[in-house]
Amino acid sequence: MSNKDKNDNNLANTRRSFMKKSATAGIIAASSAPTFFMKNAFAADGSFRNMPGMGKSIKLGFNVPQSGAYADEGADELRAYKLAVKHLNGEGDGGLMNTMKPLSLKGNGILGKKVEYVTGDTQTKSDAARASAKRMIEKDGALMITGGSSSGVAVAVQSLCQEMGIIFMSGLTHSNDTTGKDKRRYGFRHFFNAKMSGSALGPVLKEEMGTERQAYHLTADYTWGWTQEESIKETTEALGWKTTATVKTPVGAGDFSQYITPILNSGADTLILNHYGKDMINSLTQAVQFGLRDKQVNGKNFEIIVPLYSRLMAQGAGENLKGILGTTNWNWALTDAGSMAFVKSFGAEYGFPPSQAAHTCYVQTLLYANACEMAGTFYPPAVIKALEGFKFDGMGNGETEYRAEDHQCFKNVLVVRGNQNPTSQFDLLEIVKEVPRSQVEYDASIFGGELGPYKV
Amino acid sequence: MDVFLIQLLNGLDKGGAYALIALGLTLAFGTLGIVNFAHGALFMLGAFCAVTVQQILTMSVKVRDESITFFEAYKEQPYLEIWWGDTGTAIIDYAVPISILFVIPIMLLIGLALERGLIKHFYKRSHAEQILVTFGLAIVLQEIIRAFFGANPIPTPAPDIVAGSAAIGSFLGLSDNLVYPWWRLIYLAFSSLVIFGVFAFLKFTTFGMVVRAGMADRETVGLLGINVQRKFTIVFGLAAVVAGVAGAMYAPILPPDYHMGMDFLVLSFVVVVVGGMGSLGGAVTAGFLLGILQSFASMNEFKAIFPGIDQIIIYLVAVIVLLVRPRGLMGREGVMED
């Protein structure tokens, strides 16, 4: 055999063995590849992304802001998620599982599988939130993603979850867009929205402040701020109020003085702060420091309104929030059985009552778990169908329904006021009115948007 | 008139903070030739000195909150209040002013340690390398603070007596609408005082004279038998003190978080560049000028014509100044031009 023949033979052997090895590797890879290599979320054999299979546990992904303007809410959300996991696994006092109706959960995890969790930091930024959600889905195998304390984040993560076929149970997100123009089949919101805040707040504003006011808006410059400004403006203008100016402020601006000083001589007699979290604490504190609450304009006392606020913000803003009107999704001082059970359970675990962010996140986790039990499977389209139109009670806001058309929960909304005479360090919000669900309902089609397909 | 005055005050107030940081940056650059990107972190460290003093003064014991009945809730009661009653409460109330006493020596030590331990090794290196190493230092410092204090801003209130606002309008016989928060007025007075103090120190003391001479001609001063390097090291410490007290006094205006230094640093570099690299007068002038411009640009009348002008005005002015006067408003020939 010539050298050339030897070389050709070696080459052929090498090529042949390479082909063999490649084929073997391909078969191994195809049989053992994790589901994230799937092009779509569903394979032809009926399996789906992160399908638990024969494993004894499943993982949920808690994606909350651990830094940034909404970090306080994020910390409380995480506490609530951990408590929900405990209760789902049959530990602790069971919390809202004692009061929820109808209840399919058995206290043995979800569908008999122990619930575990992974966490991510959204940093209150959409790109970071998407990256951490993607990591939890692809690397950690999270079956459901939940969390977020910013509508920008919720909309971004919801859209990612739709693409990946993973259910997203949003946490605190108040923008109309989340279940409006940006709604998704895989996204569900228990929290109320800006439109509902406006509907709830309108009659109280008319009663307490009359029909002749000049309103000045300071608005966080992102989806939530814009839709809240729009909804509150619509409400106040319907009352007969005039809008002096609407000024957008960057999220996390810190020093709002340059936005507050122009208000002093604007002729406005009402400041509407479309801010949340640290931004709201800073802007309200600075507005009070600049003497706005001591002013008389147009023969009226200058008033500040915070359309969305929570006890955590009230804690940060301290004295400055006393007497200020706003709305909230839920408050620990409610005396229904569900609220009391949750406060007792959360209080025993952490030594202080839960915030509205904690409440909505806890409820969302239980609702997802309950839907899996109802569907008898983790298969996302079946779980989605179980959640759509689901009517429940005993979770703290009276009778509630997950509207099938836009995946928005409809329930009672609270109009609250910063408590003038608190009886404890936590008694910061006084409930002015529990506005019935019928008063805050609206037509699902007004915000447009498409839910999209069940199978992606 | 009211509108003008209040925007002017707001601009001076912001400008005071910019000027203080820019002054420290320029001191380090003018003496040591170091472009110190860690200077914002020194401002942040100063603010966290105030936070630390507040936390030490409010060290508490947990006591049962009897007003909560259906779970065991606890509230915190500071030891100072338990031991000394109202006197203890008053001491806690004055945490920020008290912290200044600690900020000065602590920041001086930090400044000297940084200069001797790290910065001195980079004197003869290029500005690009200096920027890299000081920027890295800034990141390390802010991550240390994040590890100890978390990522959330920490409320650090001013004493109650100056928590409200001053009725400047009534005082001047103008409109009652003209009010301005007391602490911001104090900050403006304080920053003016510190700036004046630094200039006086450099102008009227022998030490300052040597430093100025060293800045002008280091070699000649060295030939006279003076250890210029030691003086410059002290000046770096002084720059750290200026940044530190600026940060501590700013804490009641903006609750400190680990990132606050970086937020100010970018603006302060723009201030230094507009003022002219190495010019102390330029840094202060540009600081106040840009603060005032930013404040006026936030007026709705301007924003109606140029939407978003409040966000870009500082950078717009910087571009124009650099086009018209490439060395900045008061820059000298030959600085950073090699």
Side-chain angles (χ1 to χ4, degrees):
Chain A
M1 197 182 277
S2 70
N3 278 345
K4 184 181 175 294
D5 289 342
K6 273 183 189 169
N7 283 344
D8 283 351
N9 202 20
N10 282 344
L11 198 63
N13 278 338
T14 313
R15 195 186 297 128
R16 195 173 302 126
S17 60
F18 172 76
M19 296 284 278
K20 273 185 190 167
K21 281 173 188 165
S22 300
T24 315
I27 291 163
I28 293 168
S31 58
S32 63
T35 47
F36 62 78
F37 286 128
M38 294 190 312
K39 185 168 179 265
N40 298 315
F42 303 98
D45 62 357
S47 63
F48 53 92
R49 194 186 300 278
N50 296 339
M51 192 169 83
M54 301 305 287
K56 287 185 178 161
S57 64
I58 56 134
K59 266 188 196 145
L60 305 181
F62 301 145
N63 205 19
V64 301
Q66 294 174 45
S67 55
Y70 301 148
D72 277 355
E73 271 75 12
D76 221 38
E77 287 182 351
L78 204 51
R79 288 184 199 109
Y81 283 133
K82 289 176 181 172
L83 190 65
V85 167
K86 218 172 161 180
H87 292 167
L88 285 173
N89 287 332
E91 297 160 26
D93 64 5
L96 279 174
M97 280 166 61
N98 298 316
T99 57
M100 182 183 173
K101 287 178 215 155
L103 181 77
S104 304
L105 294 164
K106 300 174 188 73
N108 61 346
I110 307 176
L111 295 170
K113 294 187 189 296
K114 190 179 178 205
V115 182
E116 294 174 350
Y117 64 88
V118 284
T119 66
D121 181 7
T122 68
Q123 299 173 31
T124 325
K125 292 176 189 158
S126 301
D127 51 350
R130 275 177 72 100
S132 64
K134 206 161 188 284
R135 189 257 303 160
M136 289 192 283
I137 294 168
E138 292 185 340
K139 188 167 165 281
D140 303 316
L143 199 53
M144 179 272 275
I145 298 292
T146 174
S149 257
S150 149
S151 294
V153 163
V155 167
V157 175
Q158 179 170 273
S159 149
L160 172 86
C161 286
Q162 173 84 15
E163 288 162 21
M164 304 192 81
I166 295 287
I167 291 176
F168 175 64
M169 305 293 285
S170 59
L172 195 155
T173 160
H174 188 247
S175 168
N176 294 335
D177 292 347
T178 313
T179 46
K181 78 174 178 55
D182 295 315
K183 62 180 170 247
R184 292 287 181 272
R185 180 71 64 192
Y186 280 72
F188 288 85
R189 170 162 65 182
H190 169 263
F191 205 69
F192 71 147
N193 64 23
K195 171 84 179 160
M196 293 152 95
S197 281
S199 304
L201 207 48
V204 180
L205 292 182
K206 186 178 177 184
E207 196 179 310
E208 300 213 355
M209 297 180 196
T211 54
E212 289 178 12
R213 283 253 165 198
Q214 302 272 347
Y216 192 109
H217 289 253
L218 286 184
T219 302
D221 198 3
Y222 75 105
T223 170
W224 167 69
W226 306 328
T227 65
Q228 177 162 295
E229 179 190 289
E230 188 189 327
S231 292
I232 301 298
K233 198 166 151 236
E234 191 183 282
T235 301
T236 53
E237 288 181 353
L239 296 178
W241 293 21
K242 302 264 183 313
T243 304
T244 309
T246 55
V247 176
K248 308 287 184 289
T249 60
V251 177
D255 185 5
F256 288 91
S257 63
Q258 69 198 75
Y259 301 105
I260 291 168
T261 43
I263 303 168
L264 294 166
N265 293 285
S266 66
D269 50 35
T270 310
L271 170 63
I272 297 174
L273 285 176
N274 300 307
H275 289 154
Y276 193 75
K278 296 290 174 199
D279 277 357
M280 181 263 162
I281 294 170
N282 284 335
S283 63
L284 177 65
T285 305
Q286 288 160 17
V288 173
Q289 280 174 358
F290 272 89
L292 283 183
R293 292 198 75 186
D294 306 323
K295 267 169 73 78
Q296 283 263 329
V297 184
N298 309 326
K300 304 178 190 81
N301 285 335
F302 194 99
E303 297 287 353
I304 300 177
I305 299 165
V306 178
L308 172 65
Y309 70 68
S310 73
R311 187 183 52 76
L312 285 181
M313 279 156 48
Q315 232 163 348
E319 294 280 313
N320 300 319
L321 209 64
K322 285 187 174 176
I324 288 179
L325 277 172
T327 61
T328 187
N329 190 57
W330 176 85
N331 186 267
W332 73 280
L334 284 168
T335 51
D336 62 283
S339 297
M340 287 173 78
F342 182 52
V343 174
K344 191 176 169 209
S345 187
F346 191 98
E349 188 79 12
Y350 301 111
F352 47 84
S355 64
Q356 61 170 351
H359 172 256
T360 201
C361 289
Y362 178 95
V363 170
Q364 284 282 71
T365 313
L366 257 55
L367 284 173
Y368 169 78
N370 192 67
C372 293
E373 293 281 355
M374 282 166 64
T377 172
F378 292 104
Y379 181 59
V383 179
I384 290 170
K385 282 176 187 158
L387 279 167
E388 286 178 339
F390 180 55
K391 291 178 184 163
F392 57 95
D393 200 353
M395 300 288 261
N397 293 90
E399 284 181 16
T400 308
E401 179 179 356
Y402 244 128
R403 187 159 70 179
E405 290 84 353
D406 56 0
H407 295 187
Q408 172 66 54
C409 262
F410 282 89
K411 55 197 183 320
N412 299 345
V413 170
L414 304 179
V415 174
V416 289
R417 190 198 320 268
N419 206 341
Q420 314 262 26
N421 302 301
T423 54
S424 78
Q425 54 175 324
F426 308 117
D427 184 25
L428 300 171
L429 300 180
E430 168 203 352
I431 298 171
V432 177
K433 196 175 177 189
E434 193 168 347
V435 181
R437 174 181 149 184
S438 57
Q439 199 181 310
V440 297
E441 279 176 334
Y442 58 88
D443 182 355
S445 64
I446 61 169
F447 293 123
E450 284 290 331
L451 282 173
Y454 284 95
K455 280 187 84 169
V456 288
Chain B
M1 184 64 179
D2 291 354
V3 182
F4 177 81
L5 266 178
I6 201 147
Q7 291 305 123
L8 182 68
L9 266 176
N10 190 237
L12 286 170
D13 178 36
K14 278 180 184 298
Y18 298 157
L20 274 184
I21 305 180
L23 184 68
L25 268 174
T26 308
L27 269 178
F29 182 75
T31 52
L32 304 169
I34 282 282
V35 183
N36 184 13
F37 263 65
H39 199 72
L42 296 174
F43 176 79
M44 179 267 295
L45 285 182
F48 273 91
C49 282
V51 170
T52 310
V53 169
Q54 180 187 254
Q55 291 190 346
I56 291 170
L57 293 179
T58 51
M59 279 170 76
S60 304
V61 62
K62 277 191 174 177
V63 288
R64 179 90 164 84
D65 186 347
E66 302 294 345
S67 58
I68 305 286
T69 50
F70 50 107
F71 63 87
E72 282 190 13
Y74 294 88
K75 56 185 176 186
E76 295 191 340
Q77 195 171 5
Y79 287 110
L80 281 183
E81 283 182 5
I82 298 170
W83 296 335
W84 296 332
D86 288 347
T87 313
T89 311
I91 293 172
I92 293 170
D93 189 32
Y94 279 84
V96 173
I98 290 170
S99 73
I100 297 295
L101 301 175
F102 296 93
V103 170
I104 294 170
I106 290 171
M107 292 308 295
L108 185 65
L109 282 175
I110 290 176
L112 296 179
L114 284 182
E115 198 276 337
R116 287 290 84 192
L118 184 75
I119 308 282
K120 74 167 184 180
H121 303 294
F122 289 84
Y123 288 150
K124 296 204 165 68
R125 308 282 274 272
S126 68
H127 286 311
E129 287 175 76
Q130 292 173 358
I131 289 170
L132 276 178
V133 77
T134 51
F135 193 69
L137 176 65
I139 292 170
V140 170
L141 288 175
Q142 79 180 29
E143 289 307 312
I144 290 173
I145 290 296
R146 184 180 171 162
F148 278 96
F149 293 91
N152 291 334
I154 301 171
T156 317
D160 277 347
I161 194 167
V162 287
S165 48
I168 300 174
S170 310
F171 181 74
L172 296 174
L174 296 166
S175 152
D176 290 345
N177 277 339
L178 186 55
V179 294
Y180 206 74
W182 274 113
W183 189 261
R184 287 176 184 263
L185 289 172
I186 290 170
Y187 192 84
L188 176 58
F190 179 80
S191 53
S192 308
L193 196 70
V194 172
I195 291 165
F196 176 78
V198 170
F199 275 90
F201 179 72
L202 291 174
K203 184 89 178 165
F204 301 118
T205 64
T206 313
F207 183 95
M209 192 178 70
V210 172
V211 169
R212 281 187 296 126
M215 285 165 80
D217 189 344
R218 184 177 177 144
E219 265 183 42
T220 310
V221 177
L223 288 172
L224 293 173
I226 296 169
N227 187 345
V228 186
Q229 184 54 51
R230 183 175 298 165
K231 308 276 184 204
F232 284 180
T233 303
I234 294 169
V235 170
F236 190 87
L238 186 68
V241 171
V242 171
V245 292
M249 287 293 282
Y250 208 72
I253 294 175
L254 193 61
D257 66 41
Y258 74 101
H259 204 261
M260 72 187 292
M262 219 48 108
D263 298 339
F264 271 91
L265 182 77
V266 178
L267 281 174
S268 301
F269 262 97
V270 176
V271 169
V272 171
V273 170
V274 169
M277 289 299 287
S279 165
L280 292 173
V284 173
T285 311
F288 281 110
L289 184 71
L290 292 182
I292 291 166
L293 277 174
Q294 195 181 27
S295 178
F296 278 103
S298 302
M299 290 171 70
N300 294 337
E301 289 81 354
F302 288 111
K303 287 203 289 190
I305 305 167
F306 307 107
I309 188 71
D310 54 323
Q311 301 287 310
I312 59 163
I313 183 76
I314 285 189
Y315 306 101
L316 198 64
V317 171
V319 169
I320 294 169
V321 167
L322 289 180
L323 282 174
V324 180
R325 288 181 65 91
R327 291 190 190 108
L329 292 175
M330 297 162 86
R332 287 172 293 127
E333 195 177 344
V335 178
M336 264 199 121
E337 289 178 358
D338 47 328

